[in-house]
Each structure stands twice: as structure tokens, then as C-alpha cells.
Amino acid sequence: MKKQNQDELVFLPLGGSDEVGMNLNAYGFGPEANREWLIVDVGVTFGDLSTPGVDVIVPDPTYLQGETIKGIVLTHAHEDHIGALGWLWPRIKAPIYATPFTAYLIRDKLRERGILDQVELIEVPLGGTVDIGSFGVTFVNMTHSIAEPSGLAIDTPLGTVFHTGDWKIDDQPVIGTKTDAPAIRALGDEGVLAMVCDSTNVFVPGVAGSEGDVAVAISKLISTLKGRVAVGCFASNVARMDSVIRAAEACGRRVALAGRSMHRITAAAKHVGMLQDVKPFLSDEEARVWPADQILYLCTGSQGEARAALSRVADGTHPTVKLGLGDHCIFSSRQIPGNELAIGNLQDRLADRGVRLYTEKDHPGIHVSGHPCRDELKQMYEWARPQIAVPTHGVRRFLLEHANLAKEVGVKETVTPRNGDMVRLAPGPAQIVDEVPNGRLYVDGGMLVTEQGEALKERRHASTNGVLIVSFALDKRGRIVSDIDIRSVGLPGDLQKPLGDVLDDLAERVEQVVKNLKGEALEDEMVVEQAIARVLKKASQQVWDRRPIVETVVLRV
């Protein structure tokens, strides 16, 4: 299928196709034996109940290790696009290219991992162009729910790929520039081979809405409120923060920041010239005593995160922010799928304290999405006019629907790869030509481990089946010379038969197992442990309908 000595342009999603979060896309150019690679975005996703003890998940870049990676280019500073850099850069060492706001936040991540001084980080001005190996990359100004988002016009000898990043069309973005329609039209006039495009809102009709309209709605709402006001929003949305701050100041309120991310993002925004003409934020000491009708708190935690500011406010444990009867909390954010229960629980706890809540369900104007809806996607295809559509950033049905939409607007070819599918964009028709090793790596206890790691398997097993720990002493003749101590983790007792009685019964079974072992079997620790595990798992199946992990400690005396 492939000619070994022929120049090819290939696209390889390792964490950017068939995923809601965690982006890592790679573009390769040249003959297979000497291919140069350009990586776009290196993001994370987050753990859930299926990954106990794992908060951060990153794409597995194993296939790219040892390849010629010319550069890492970042479209914007959301965690699903830059969050894995600190973990993965040592494996894919290459210069990093980013606009100033994104670069500021990247430095924090690299500093946290102790590798900042090892990394070549090149700041690219908004709309700038850089040559990276065989690739010429032009940053195209876009609009999104964060400062300085960029699409990437990736120029190669076989054609131009337009990688949109995350984007929307907004004529009133509040902060930053509008999506650069003239630049995208110019790309279309010159010819776009392929467009790799955001699929997040492909099922949503119409347009996403404007941050300018949100600013008006939030200002109107805040002006009607008495008492303390808290606003929960994504810290990365500097335009939203700007709107809230200006609405607060117009109502005679001063702003206090609650949450580490709020402080980090505002520092980055001020570093690049944003938020310069707002009043200084209240210190923690000032916020504690400031009059209730004259304060507004900007808080992290709108998704119900357990350790974020709003969660601590709801629990009454936040050192600065205290909300109660007569106070208000505005949720100026959407519910990310999967967070519904956590958000509902958070809002219930706030309501229990007497806090009045406002969400986009009862006040639709206080939030808009940062991703393009169907009419915006159609507009983008009219501007760029690509030969090939490559939907990305969405689960499978989103990618397939995006491909259907692209066909409806006249795109000749579409391809919807899964992670690890290598797509040849040129020469010839676009098609999947290979599948490479791919997957996820988990950040577990500060270490990178494979998703099939033994520790996580055991933790999952223990979380649903529990643990039994058996300990006793044997003398040289193989006789039990101590009590058999069995302790349990995560296993229940019965109202009629306490857990202690159940464990005593299991101890009798262990004693019988040891008595039945003869000769060399008694001298082999592994044989003893396996025999005890078999019996206890079978007994546990009868008692609890579970097969717990069994750990046996035998002391020889």
C-alpha cells in the first residue's frame, strides 16, 4: 500500500480523536524511514470512579519515542491541550511553540516538574509564523473560552493542513481578537488540503452565542442582588472573569479571588496585558471583613471538584468565603458530561446553607459555549474549503456526525480515525494506512504507569471486593503456634452476625487448611498462601458474594 521512498503527509491522533478530553495529534512528513514529526497539543483528561487513586490521565506517546520530532506546537492553554507537557516532555523532547499567555502557564507546569531549564520554549506572537523542520506553521487567531486560542495553518510540500484547535465565531469576544475570517478565507483561496476540526457541539443547532451577551446578562443579574455574591466559572475563561469583575465594580462591589487557579490565570492574563484597568483584588484578610453588599467572590469549583473553592464554601471550611442565608451563587459555566452528580451535590449543599443559586437553566444568558455549533461549522467550511475533513475532539458519534455535515457542505473526502490510526493525507486519497501502538498512561502516586498496571488492577479489585489479611505463626514442624488473626477492609458484617463472628469462622477454615497440608507443602510459603487464598475466596463468595484480595503473612518460629 505504501511506497517506502515516497514523501507522505500523515496525521496521527494519539489522544485527539474519539476523545472528549486529552489531545495529542501528530503530523508526519517525508518517507517512512526518515519521517519528521510535528506534535500539536499535549493534554490530559481526568480520572473517575473507574480509576481509583488516579487523578490525571495522559496519552501514551510510546510510538513517537525515537522518532524525529521537530517541535511541539500548542493551540491554547486548556488542560486537555497542555496539561500533560510536564509528564510527557521528557519522553518526546522537542522545542515547544506557544503564544505568550499559553507560554506563561506552560512555564508553571514545567517548573512544577523540575524541567523548566531543560526545555526550549519559544514564544510566538499572535498571528505569527515559524518554520519547524519541513513544516511552516502560521498561528491563526481564533475565539474560544480562553485567552489567545490559535488555529494552525501547517504548510508542507504536499499541501496545507488547517488544524482549528478549539474555536467558535464571536463578534464580541470581550477579550482578545475575533476569529480571523479573512486569514481563513485566504487559506481557502490558496488551497487547504485537509482541515482537522473541533466536533464538540456538532449536534447543537445554530451558534454558540457571544461573550458580549453574557457580559450584559451577568451585569444585569448582579445588579439585582443584595448580600454576598459568589460566581463559579472556569478560571481559564479570562473574558468571563473580565465580565464578572466589571459587573461587580459597576455595582459597587470589590472582587476577591477564591481558588489557586483563579490566582494563576489572572497572573497570566495581567502578564500579557489583560485585566490591567480593574481594581486590585481583595486580599484574604480584607475579604474576611468586607461588607456583604460590597463584595463578590470569583471561585473555582463550578464542576463540583472536591478540593476546589466552592466545595469548601459549601462545606463551611473555606478560610475566606462564607456564604449563608441571603447570599447568592451564580454558576456561569456548563455542566461537563460526567460531572452532573458532583455538581448537583455541591448545589444541594449550598442551598442547605440558604444560598440562592443561579444556573444557565434558569438564567440562560449567563453562559455560552466556547465551541462551534452547526451553523458555525458550516461557516468554517465555507471559509476554508478543504479537500479533506478530519473531525477531531469528540466521542465517536460526534466525529461521524461531523463527517456527515462536512459531506453535506460539499467536502470531497472525510476520514474519522480512532486514536492510533495513521491517516495518509497525501499523496492520493485520504485513508487510514496503519495502526500504531497507543493508549493511556496514568499518573498514579506521582508516577507514570500503564493503564493495565498491576497496582491499579488490585486497587479496582479491592474497591469492589474488599481485602482479607491473614496472619499466624508456624513452628518448625508446621504446627500453628499462635492465634489466627484475620482482618478485613471494605467487607460488611450482618445485623444478626457481626463481622467479628464471620472472621472467626474464616479463621477456623484457615486452621483446617494448614492442618491438611503435609510435608514439603508446609515449607513452601507460596503453597501455603495459595491454599489459604483459594479457601477464603470460596468462603467469601458464599458469605458476601465477593472474592476479596487475600494477603497472608506467615511467621516462622
Side-chain angles (χ1 to χ4, degrees):
M1 185 178 293
K2 290 186 281 187
K3 297 179 180 179
Q4 296 298 318
N5 296 320
Q6 183 182 39
D7 281 344
E8 291 182 327
L9 175 60
V10 298
F11 169 70
L12 175 61
L14 290 173
S17 178
D18 210 11
E19 293 284 354
V20 173
M22 190 176 70
N23 289 267
L24 193 160
N25 299 282
Y27 295 88
F29 175 77
E32 184 176 5
N34 192 28
R35 185 174 286 154
E36 293 183 354
W37 290 94
L38 180 75
I39 294 176
V40 174
D41 293 335
V42 186
V44 299
T45 189
F46 299 99
D48 54 27
L49 293 177
S50 69
T51 58
V54 172
D55 292 327
V56 175
I57 300 171
V58 304
D60 186 347
T62 299
Y63 174 77
L64 293 174
Q65 290 179 250
E67 295 288 315
T68 303
I69 301 173
K70 289 296 185 177
I72 301 166
V73 186
L74 304 170
T75 60
H76 64 286
H78 275 143
E79 286 295 300
D80 57 337
H81 293 259
I82 69 167
L85 273 171
W87 294 102
L88 295 186
W89 186 87
R91 298 182 174 221
I92 52 175
K93 295 177 180 179
I96 298 174
Y97 298 82
T99 57
F101 177 84
T102 302
Y104 183 97
L105 295 173
I106 290 168
R107 287 189 185 94
D108 281 348
K109 294 190 173 297
L110 301 177
R111 190 179 294 112
E112 288 173 2
R113 297 297 303 160
I115 59 174
L116 178 58
D117 60 346
Q118 303 174 37
V119 179
E120 183 182 4
L121 177 56
I122 298 109
E123 284 194 17
V124 182
L126 296 180
T129 297
V130 289
D131 291 324
I132 309 172
S134 297
F135 306 94
V137 180
T138 298
F139 286 65
V140 179
N141 294 332
M142 309 292 276
T143 303
H144 183 44
S145 53
I146 195 170
E148 297 185 359
S150 297
L152 304 174
I154 304 171
D155 185 41
T156 79
L158 293 181
T160 297
V161 177
F162 181 39
H163 187 111
T164 66
D166 292 356
W167 63 281
K168 62 186 285 187
I169 298 173
D170 188 345
D171 290 332
Q172 302 175 54
V174 176
I175 277 183
T177 62
K178 301 177 185 178
T179 294
D180 194 345
I184 299 169
R185 288 194 196 98
L187 287 173
D189 292 342
E190 294 169 5
V192 173
L193 173 66
M195 184 165 73
V196 179
C197 186
D198 182 357
S199 307
T200 306
N201 282 342
V202 68
F203 284 103
V204 181
V207 298
S210 173
E211 281 294 331
D213 293 335
V214 174
V216 173
I218 285 180
S219 182
K220 182 178 179 180
L221 174 58
I222 291 173
S223 71
T224 66
L225 304 180
K226 301 295 183 183
R228 297 176 183 85
V229 176
V231 177
C233 65
F234 296 114
S236 58
N237 194 337
V238 180
R240 190 70 50 84
M241 292 172 62
D242 183 273
S243 297
V244 172
I245 293 166
R246 296 185 191 282
E249 292 182 355
C251 297
R253 294 178 181 269
R254 291 285 298 279
V255 174
L257 303 179
R260 180 171 174 263
S261 294
M262 285 292 176
H263 290 276
R264 184 169 56 89
I265 295 294
T266 53
K270 290 188 174 185
H271 176 73
V272 297
M274 302 173 187
L275 303 179
Q276 294 295 320
D277 57 344
V278 301
K279 294 179 181 179
F281 301 119
L282 295 177
S283 67
D284 288 351
E285 291 72 21
E286 290 172 323
R288 288 189 183 96
V289 298
W290 210 260
D293 289 336
Q294 298 174 30
I295 193 168
L296 182 143
Y297 305 101
L298 258 176
C299 301
T300 60
S302 63
Q303 299 303 300
E305 301 97 319
R307 294 184 292 275
L310 275 180
S311 188
R312 289 187 290 158
V313 172
D315 292 337
T317 60
H318 196 282
T320 304
V321 186
K322 305 295 180 184
L323 297 183
L325 188 64
D327 296 331
H328 311 268
C329 185
I330 300 169
F331 283 78
S332 184
S333 61
R334 74 182 180 96
Q335 289 189 352
I336 294 177
N339 292 344
E340 294 86 354
L341 289 177
I343 295 171
N345 180 267
L346 167 65
Q347 293 177 347
D348 283 345
R349 285 148 51 210
L350 287 168
D352 262 348
R353 291 185 168 274
V355 179
R356 175 80 181 273
L357 305 178
Y358 307 84
T359 72
E360 64 172 333
K361 291 182 179 179
D362 48 67
H363 287 73
I366 64 175
H367 175 69
V368 293
S369 175
H371 297 272
C373 298
R374 290 184 73 88
D375 286 356
E376 291 160 284
L377 286 167
K378 291 176 181 178
Q379 181 66 77
M380 180 61 78
Y381 278 104
E382 289 180 15
W383 289 341
R385 305 187 299 281
Q387 298 175 39
I388 307 163
V390 187
T392 189
H393 206 17
V395 294
R396 193 69 190 157
R397 63 191 180 91
F398 285 54
L399 305 185
L400 296 173
E401 178 61 21
H402 187 156
N404 290 334
L405 183 147
K407 292 174 184 175
E408 289 175 11
V409 297
V411 179
K412 295 178 181 179
E413 298 179 72
T414 64
V415 60
T416 54
R418 299 178 186 274
N419 285 327
D421 285 345
M422 186 180 291
V423 180
R424 185 179 62 206
L425 299 173
Q431 58 182 307
I432 296 169
V433 295
D434 201 357
E435 181 181 0
V436 308
N438 67 95
R440 297 176 162 199
L441 299 175
Y442 294 147
V443 179
D444 190 359
M447 305 176 185
L448 273 183
V449 302
T450 65
E451 59 183 318
Q452 301 302 324
E454 196 61 33
L456 185 58
K457 285 183 181 179
E458 289 183 351
R459 202 178 306 135
R460 285 177 177 142
H461 187 86
S463 69
T464 55
N465 290 275
V467 181
L468 288 174
I469 303 167
V470 184
S471 60
F472 56 91
L474 289 178
D475 66 12
K476 293 180 180 180
R477 298 175 62 185
R479 295 178 301 184
I480 298 174
V481 292
S482 70
D483 292 334
I484 297 175
D485 183 35
I486 300 184
R487 303 189 182 190
S488 68
V489 178
L491 293 166
D494 189 87
L495 290 176
Q496 296 180 340
K497 190 171 185 179
L499 180 60
D501 292 347
V502 176
L503 297 180
D504 288 342
D505 291 346
L506 295 181
E508 291 179 6
R509 298 197 186 205
V510 170
E511 182 178 14
Q512 192 59 50
V513 168
V514 175
K515 287 180 178 179
N516 290 341
L517 292 173
K518 305 295 182 183
E520 294 182 357
L522 272 172
E523 297 176 5
D524 189 327
E525 301 286 344
M526 186 69 70
V527 172
V528 174
E529 291 175 8
Q530 289 176 347
I532 291 172
R534 280 196 300 270
V535 168
L536 290 187
K537 287 184 178 182
K538 183 176 180 179
S540 297
Q541 189 76 48
Q542 297 169 348
V543 174
W544 292 295
D545 194 25
R546 285 172 170 76
R547 293 179 66 82
I549 293 174
V550 178
E551 291 292 331
T552 302
V553 179
V554 179
L555 178 64
R556 299 283 183 173
V557 297

